[in-house]
Amino acid sequence: MLLGNGDGTLKAPITYHLDAAPYYIIANDFNRDGKLDVAVGSLFSSAIILLGNGDGSFKAGPEYHLDNTPTDIGLGDFNGDGRIDLASVGIFQSKNVQVLLGNGDGTFQNAGSFIDSVGGLAITVADFNRDTRSDLAACISGQLTVALINVTPGNLNNTDYFVHQHYLDFLAREPDASGFGFWTNQISSCGADQQCLDTKRANVSAAFALSIEFQQTAYLVERIYKTAYGDATGASTSGGAHQLAVPIVRLDELQVETEQIGQGVIVGENGWDAVLENNKQNFLAQFVQRSRFTNAFPVTLTPAEFVDNLNQYAGNVLSSSERAAALALFGDAIDTSNTSARAQSLRQIAENQKLYNSEFNRAFVLMEYFGYLRRNPNERPDTGYSGYDFWLNKLNAFNGDYQKAEMVKAFITSGEYRSRFGPL
């Protein structure tokens, strides 16, 4: 192991003796102590765990027999318990994809082998069908094999799993150790008090949507889309048949955009705000150059036309001084061909506090559908926006108090949400 000096050079190597022939290595925090550990696969059909001390050194961990000679390894949560599992692929014997389920303390248990074939060379883990569950893709016998697997259904009653799933659904990332420990403790501190557990689970769940990280990523995306493209129109029968204005951003759009803005952002970690700022700037610079945006806002528009159109879509949120500041970004230009000014003015309006406040309840309800149900509000089993309309009216009636509206509680206990993770 060679530790970096931070300037492109490396320190002298540190050697660890293994009673095996190491073939691959991968790093993660297997025992959830906030320190990176490594898993080493050997040609002697074993996986060796080295637990990190946090200073670049390691201590010996357990060793596990594998049913094949491993050539590659992937990491994921295959049984939905919020703990990192290992999947290895081997080259000689059949049943060459093997899964070791993590216990969260640096130890693992063998869950068996999958895919009856030989000649496995590489493996990767990702969510290929966007159900937030870890899937496998392996290069085996000269072809790509994809396995959409979960060893066991997710258990939402398991606190670790419940919190881990919220990181995936709302922040689009794996948990950081300190945050994961904080939120799981909020729930587990209730012990066996069911009323306390129900309340804490709803509060922890809502906290993800109310977090700085979510507000500065997913909610920002929703406001950018509103500022750029206005509202969509939906049909509702709640309180009688009528049409209503609804957020225009769709789930697939928000997922992709949120991942881009939130890449590498863990609020509370050193330098997170600089990473977020850089991500925002890069995202908006790309956004205003997309054909959808340039078709809606051609560069031939004057600065006043450009800013006023954005402001109108946002709900006329700019004060006279804020409008003047947005126009000033274009200087003396008579058109809006300045990409930087277009991006900055769009951002200035999307981050306007008046828009933030006025759009909050609409976005909160929208994110209940996106986060918990992983669908748009007008998709099956709904046929329109009646459900969305019902919850928005209820949230508004309680002045945005999700606890009194019992909205979060209703979503996390709904059959539709719970059925995502296994049979009811």
Side-chain angles (χ1 to χ4, degrees), residues 81-412:
D81 64 356
R83 302 165 184 171
I84 294 296
D85 309 317
L86 301 175
S88 68
V89 64
I91 192 169
F92 295 123
Q93 291 82 19
S94 61
K95 296 289 185 183
N96 62 11
V97 173
Q98 185 170 353
V99 172
L100 298 177
L101 298 178
N103 296 314
D105 58 0
T107 64
F108 295 81
Q109 51 186 312
N110 190 350
S113 300
F114 306 85
I115 306 179
D116 190 5
S117 184
V118 297
L121 294 176
I123 192 170
T124 189
V125 179
D127 179 13
F128 296 113
N129 59 349
R130 301 191 75 86
D131 64 355
T132 73
R133 303 181 185 186
S134 296
D135 308 314
L136 296 174
C139 294
I140 300 173
S141 301
Q143 60 186 358
L144 176 66
T145 300
V146 177
L148 305 177
I149 69 166
N150 275 105
V151 177
T152 60
N155 178 10
L156 286 176
N157 295 323
N158 178 290
T159 297
D160 282 3
Y161 178 76
F162 181 77
V163 172
H164 179 253
Q165 191 62 44
H166 276 67
Y167 274 93
L168 299 178
D169 286 343
F170 288 91
L171 304 184
R173 66 172 175 86
E174 290 292 333
D176 55 289
S178 61
F180 185 79
F182 175 81
W183 292 118
T184 53
N185 184 64
Q186 290 289 303
I187 299 173
S188 60
S189 63
C190 289
D193 185 336
Q194 191 59 51
Q195 183 176 357
C196 175
L197 286 168
D198 292 343
T199 300
K200 289 288 189 178
R201 284 165 66 87
N203 289 343
V204 166
S205 185
F208 277 83
L210 299 173
S211 68
I212 294 173
E213 188 170 334
F214 185 81
Q215 295 294 307
Q216 292 294 319
T217 55
Y219 184 33
L220 175 60
V221 170
E222 193 275 341
R223 300 195 312 276
I224 289 173
Y225 268 75
K226 176 173 174 59
T227 304
Y229 307 122
D231 291 324
T233 301
S236 171
T237 58
S238 179
H242 62 282
Q243 300 287 306
L244 73 158
V246 297
I248 199 168
V249 69
R250 303 294 281 178
L251 174 60
D252 57 345
E253 295 169 328
L254 185 125
Q255 285 179 315
V256 173
E257 316 287 37
T258 298
E259 288 175 8
Q260 183 176 347
I261 294 180
Q263 185 174 13
V265 175
I266 300 177
V267 172
E269 288 199 349
N270 186 40
W272 71 268
D273 48 350
V275 175
L276 176 62
E277 176 61 26
N278 186 62
N279 289 353
K280 286 183 180 181
Q281 291 183 20
N282 290 338
F283 171 75
L284 283 157
Q286 296 169 18
F287 187 90
V288 298
Q289 296 181 74
R290 296 175 183 173
S291 59
R292 180 179 178 183
F293 189 83
T294 57
N295 288 338
F297 295 88
V299 297
T300 54
L301 291 177
T302 66
E305 290 171 331
F306 181 83
V307 170
D308 289 344
N309 287 349
L310 290 174
N311 185 37
Q312 182 178 6
Y313 279 146
N316 295 310
V317 296
L318 295 181
S319 65
S320 57
S321 60
E322 290 168 339
R323 178 179 181 273
L327 292 174
L329 294 169
F330 293 94
D332 297 327
I334 60 173
D335 62 21
T336 48
S337 57
N338 185 325
T339 299
S340 177
R342 288 163 71 88
Q344 290 181 66
S345 57
L346 171 60
R347 177 179 177 180
Q348 185 180 108
I349 299 171
E351 292 188 330
N352 182 277
Q353 188 63 46
K354 187 176 179 181
L355 173 59
Y356 182 100
N357 295 340
S358 63
E359 189 68 8
F360 189 88
N361 284 359
R362 292 203 329 159
F364 198 168
V365 176
L366 181 70
M367 298 309 167
E368 302 294 286
Y369 284 89
F370 284 2
Y372 299 122
L373 308 185
R374 307 305 279 180
R375 66 172 174 87
N376 294 298
N378 62 334
E379 292 177 341
R380 291 182 179 179
D382 289 303
T383 56
Y385 281 86
S386 299
Y388 170 88
D389 193 21
F390 168 83
W391 285 113
L392 179 58
N393 287 332
K394 191 169 185 181
L395 189 62
N396 286 337
F398 286 99
N399 297 314
D401 189 330
Y402 70 88
Q403 292 176 316
K404 291 181 179 178
E406 296 189 319
M407 182 176 70
V408 172
K409 178 182 177 181
F411 273 85
I412 64 175

